[in-house]
Amino acid sequence: MIVVFVLSFRGPGVLRATKSNSIVINPRQKGNPVIKNIRNVAWEFGDVIPDYVLGKTSCALFLSLRYHHLHPNYIQDRLQQLGHSYMLRILLVQVDVADPHHSLKELAKMCILADCTLILAWSAEEAGKYLETYKAYESKPADLIKEKTDKDYLSKATDFLTTIRSVNKTDVSTLVTTFRSIEGIIKASKEDLALCPGFGPQKAKRVYDALHQPFLRSKKPKPAQES
């Protein structure tokens, strides 16, 4: 097991090596309101190159768009200094200007070239939440944040059929009970569907059309031009 150690501040002028089980913050971030919004995970100042070290293989640089407009070369220099020291490199941008679109387009291109992940926050509180979430999920398995789906037949049928407008879970239960399967529902006519409790001609037509219309609309032939 690899243990990462950093130099962290524990008092005025005092440095000591500690295990990085907290967010390690570059001292240049002192005074940044984002730090006050990191409340749910531990943090400490340390002698690190990134602005925030979030784990053994992940880090973040922070950038205010207002500061970027005043110092356009700052973040490019920081990215070059950071290099490829971490597997996950995040550029956390606080959008605090009225018209951010041009600057964000430039930063997006910069992140692509530097192989960084660009994350936007519209407040210091939101930026702090992103940082503490990355730290909190540092050692969590990927399936923890995956959507949990039920595996039984009715649940799968519900996920499928409720994508049709106005069809709810009760309607799906009615259809499956009446026609026994998705195949049976597909084979049913509009008239059979309309006879189900809670259905009428309009809802039956929506279900029937959704199950029988082609996924791609056929292109209409162009009218012949008169010579």
Side-chain angles (χ1 to χ4, degrees), residues 84-205:
H84 290 79
S85 304
Y86 295 81
M87 289 179 60
L88 174 63
R89 298 176 298 281
I90 299 165
L91 177 57
L92 179 58
V93 176
Q94 183 172 334
V95 182
D96 50 5
V97 296
D99 186 14
H101 300 92
H102 178 69
S103 297
L104 292 179
K105 191 178 294 185
E106 288 182 343
L107 291 171
K109 181 179 179 181
M110 195 181 300
C111 285
I112 292 173
L113 295 175
D115 194 20
C116 287
T117 299
L118 177 63
I119 296 181
L120 305 181
W122 270 258
S123 66
E125 182 179 5
E126 185 181 359
K129 290 291 183 184
Y130 281 128
L131 292 173
E132 64 184 21
T133 299
Y134 267 101
K135 184 60 183 178
Y137 282 84
E138 176 190 3
S139 302
K140 303 293 184 183
D143 56 1
L144 190 67
I145 59 175
K146 289 182 180 178
E147 180 184 6
K148 293 180 173 58
T149 56
D150 296 317
K151 296 182 179 180
D152 61 281
Y153 187 83
L154 181 59
S155 297
K156 292 180 179 179
T158 301
D159 289 341
F160 168 52
L161 292 171
T162 51
T163 58
I164 302 172
R165 183 184 171 191
S166 77
V167 175
N168 55 41
K169 292 181 179 180
T170 303
D171 296 330
V172 175
S173 180
T174 300
L175 290 171
V176 173
T177 301
T178 304
F179 300 105
R180 302 296 180 185
S181 66
I182 295 294
E183 183 181 2
I185 298 170
I186 293 173
K187 290 181 178 179
S189 64
K190 292 180 186 178
E191 292 74 19
D192 292 335
L193 293 170
L195 292 174
C196 292
F199 280 73
Q202 188 174 13
K203 185 181 288 189
K205 182 178 183 303

Side-chain angles (χ1 to χ4, degrees), residues 7 17 35 40 145 173 195 200 206 209 225:
L7 293 175
I35 298 177
N40 297 317
I145 59 175
S173 180
L195 292 174
R206 285 176 183 160
D209 289 346
Q225 295 182 348

